[in-house]
Amino acid sequence: MQICTKNEQINANLMGAARAVPHQVGLIKLSKTQLKVLQSIMPGEKVTAEQIAERCNLSSSWASTLLKTVWERGYLVRTVFVRECGGVFFLYKS
């Protein structure tokens, strides 16, 4: 997945869609920190919130929140695992 850079032209279809439903743009647009998190994941790599926290110098809880938001916006795939001792953890993949 290619992420648009600051000076790159935006696809005309994307611009048309954004004009048609401007109230929905916030649901797909990423913040700078969310973009940093997304760019820290190599294509096909599976990561945990702890790995992203270390890579991006964030707390584990904040990294987890960011990953969940990026996943909810459709940029990542998330797999849920149940720990034998209780609780769950997530693996995210681009």
Side-chain angles (χ1 to χ4, degrees):
M1 170 188 309
Q2 182 176 349
I3 307 297
C4 292
T5 58
K6 185 176 182 180
N7 296 324
E8 190 174 312
Q9 182 130 4
I10 298 174
N11 180 293
N13 292 335
L14 182 58
M15 288 296 293
R19 286 188 184 105
V21 284
H23 58 284
Q24 297 290 325
V25 172
L27 298 175
I28 59 169
K29 184 180 175 187
L30 298 177
S31 70
K32 289 180 182 179
T33 309
Q34 291 164 345
L35 186 58
K36 179 181 175 182
V37 165
L38 184 59
Q39 290 175 331
S40 73
I41 304 170
M42 300 299 292
E45 176 185 29
K46 294 179 182 178
V47 296
T48 64
E50 290 77 19
Q51 289 171 309
I52 295 302
E54 188 174 306
R55 289 180 193 180
C56 298
N57 197 26
L58 305 166
S59 71
S60 292
S61 62
W62 182 231
S64 178
T65 299
L66 291 167
L67 283 166
K68 180 181 178 192
T69 302
V70 172
W71 166 72
E72 288 173 337
R73 294 183 183 178
Y75 291 94
L76 297 173
V77 175
R78 180 169 84 171
T79 306
V80 181
F81 291 92
V82 178
R83 294 185 171 141
E84 289 182 14
C85 58
V88 296
F89 73 97
F90 303 100
L91 280 180
Y92 293 89
K93 179 178 151 185
S94 62

